[in-house]
Amino acid sequence: MKAAVRAWAELLRVSALFTVPGDALAGAAALGRRPDRGTALAVGASLCLYEAGMALNDWADRDEDAIDRPHRPIPSGRITPGAALAAAGALTAAGLTLAARAGRPALTVATGLAATVWAYDLHLKHTQAGPAAMAGARALDLLLGATATAGTGAGYVGVKRPVGATGTSHAAGGAGTVLPTRTAHILRGARALGRARAAGPAQSMGPARTTHLDVRAAVPAAALLGAHTYAVTAVSRHEAQGGSTVAPLGALAAIVALGAAAVREQRRSRDLPPVPGKGGPGDHHRTRPGSPAPRLLLTALTAAYLRTAAKPLLHATLNPSPPLTQRAVGSGIRAMIPLQAVLAARAGAAGTGLAVMGLVPLARTLARKVSLT
């Protein structure tokens, strides 16, 4: 029994699981929202789809691993190929089910993420499009967190629009009108919601529709995370044989550039304004951009990111042996945690950033028992 658990832990790379929750948390922070039920569903969906990718990866590489990595669970005979493929399918279904509970937009993003994972493992991994596909998967994972958070939570700035029997809206001051999201932001949410309530429930003869947060605010964070993933994936293509100095050198340059970009103060011109009372998007641990404490925290988190990822890449550049290349890849995977914390902190969610950093010691401890790669 213990041997079987160990084999499945190796197949699923459970030590890398701690790099996943921060995607959804950073996505929620990018929208100015505290984590909620939708964020939790996104985390669960991400974990399932990530593990599905791990199982499918080893199933697809079983012949190659029999030569280069005979110790892995499938070539060593500890797990059968059929069991690994079945696990990949079941985990994918579970991930999509959790995403569906967060709403149709979240399911749409999760479906794209699942398709990208399967396409990467089954074909794209061994093509020039491999790093881009993996980068796209990580970016979609962050956007999944943003979409799920925007679609299920209460208390965001928006206006309910009751629809009458003829399809005419009577909310917020007149037939056939609905308060735009940008105007609702200017009126700071409370006034808009007050007008909608003043219209009275008697005029609502149909289902209420709600203006959701604009998830495009999470695109810059998704792009930064995707760029990091691209760099690490490019190095991972040489981890079995080593010998490449170009890949780790390019990744090192990309990591330094990402650190410089992340430490800059983020302009939040599209941020939601604070809503009076509880439950509003500004009513949590958000700090004012540019204040000394957030800048100090952002600098410290960025330093942790660079320290985790850059040093092993430098070693792999100077000596591109398989062990040092594999170490650089493992460190690049672990560096996603401080990067996620940076993305949350630069969005003003200092508490979320610190919470994400709390996963670092857990990931480090488990990585000593189960390899990340």
Side-chain angles (χ1 to χ4, degrees):
M1 180 63 179
K2 186 176 180 180
V5 171
R6 172 77 183 188
W8 280 102
E10 292 180 14
L11 179 78
L12 299 176
R13 313 290 200 282
V14 294
S15 56
L17 278 179
F18 295 106
T19 69
V20 177
D23 290 349
L25 294 173
L31 299 187
R33 287 287 306 277
R34 96 168 58 199
D36 58 10
R37 173 180 173 272
T39 316
L41 289 170
V43 169
S46 298
L47 290 170
C48 289
L49 294 176
Y50 188 88
E51 292 291 51
M54 293 296 101
L56 185 63
N57 174 79
D58 278 23
W59 179 84
D61 287 351
R62 61 192 184 278
D63 294 333
E64 177 184 330
D65 287 345
I67 300 174
D68 295 330
R69 307 176 186 89
H71 60 279
R72 282 189 170 178
I74 294 179
S76 65
R78 291 176 290 159
I79 294 178
T80 65
L85 184 61
L91 286 165
T92 299
L96 294 177
T97 299
L98 288 171
R101 296 188 63 184
R104 185 175 297 177
L107 176 60
T108 300
V109 177
T111 301
L113 173 57
T116 304
V117 168
W118 280 72
Y120 174 82
D121 283 334
L122 296 181
H123 176 64
L124 296 178
K125 176 169 51 178
H126 299 294
T127 70
Q128 293 298 320
M134 184 61 76
R138 271 290 177 169
L140 283 172
D141 200 32
L142 188 146
L143 293 176
L144 173 59
T147 305
T149 303
T152 62
Y156 51 83
V157 178
V159 180
K160 291 187 176 180
R161 184 176 67 174
V163 180
T166 61
T168 302
S169 170
H170 301 280
T177 63
V178 59
L179 201 60
T181 304
R182 186 176 296 276
T183 304
H185 293 176
I186 296 174
L187 295 180
R188 304 178 70 85
R191 290 174 57 191
L193 291 175
R195 290 185 181 182
R197 291 170 182 167
Q203 298 182 25
S204 177
M205 301 177 62
R209 291 195 294 269
T210 306
T211 301
H212 293 286
L213 296 174
D214 190 350
V215 298
R216 288 178 296 181
V219 170
L224 288 175
L225 185 63
H228 172 86
T229 306
Y230 186 101
V232 175
T233 305
V235 178
S236 71
R237 294 160 70 91
H238 306 278
E239 64 178 332
Q241 293 82 20
S244 173
T245 59
V246 175
L249 181 60
L252 178 61
I255 296 301
V256 173
L258 286 172
V263 80
R264 297 194 190 102
E265 178 183 346
Q266 185 182 26
R267 290 187 175 91
R268 300 183 51 80
S269 58
R270 294 185 178 180
D271 275 6
L272 301 179
V275 176
K278 296 181 179 180
D283 186 26
H284 62 99
H285 56 290
R286 186 161 298 280
T287 53
R288 177 175 298 179
S291 60
R295 287 194 180 189
L296 180 60
L297 176 62
L298 185 59
T299 301
L301 293 175
T302 304
Y305 164 64
L306 292 174
R307 183 173 61 253
T308 303
K311 186 176 179 180
L313 283 170
L314 178 60
H315 290 167
T317 300
L318 298 175
N319 180 11
S321 63
L324 290 180
T325 303
Q326 292 167 14
R327 185 178 302 174
V329 173
S331 297
I333 295 173
R334 288 200 310 274
M336 289 182 181
I337 300 178
L339 177 57
Q340 293 156 352
V342 167
L343 296 176
R346 74 193 293 266
T352 297
L354 291 174
V356 171
M357 281 300 292
L359 299 174
V360 170
L362 298 175
R364 184 183 297 115
T365 299
L366 198 54
R368 297 190 184 104
K369 300 179 180 180
V370 180
S371 175
L372 285 166
T373 63

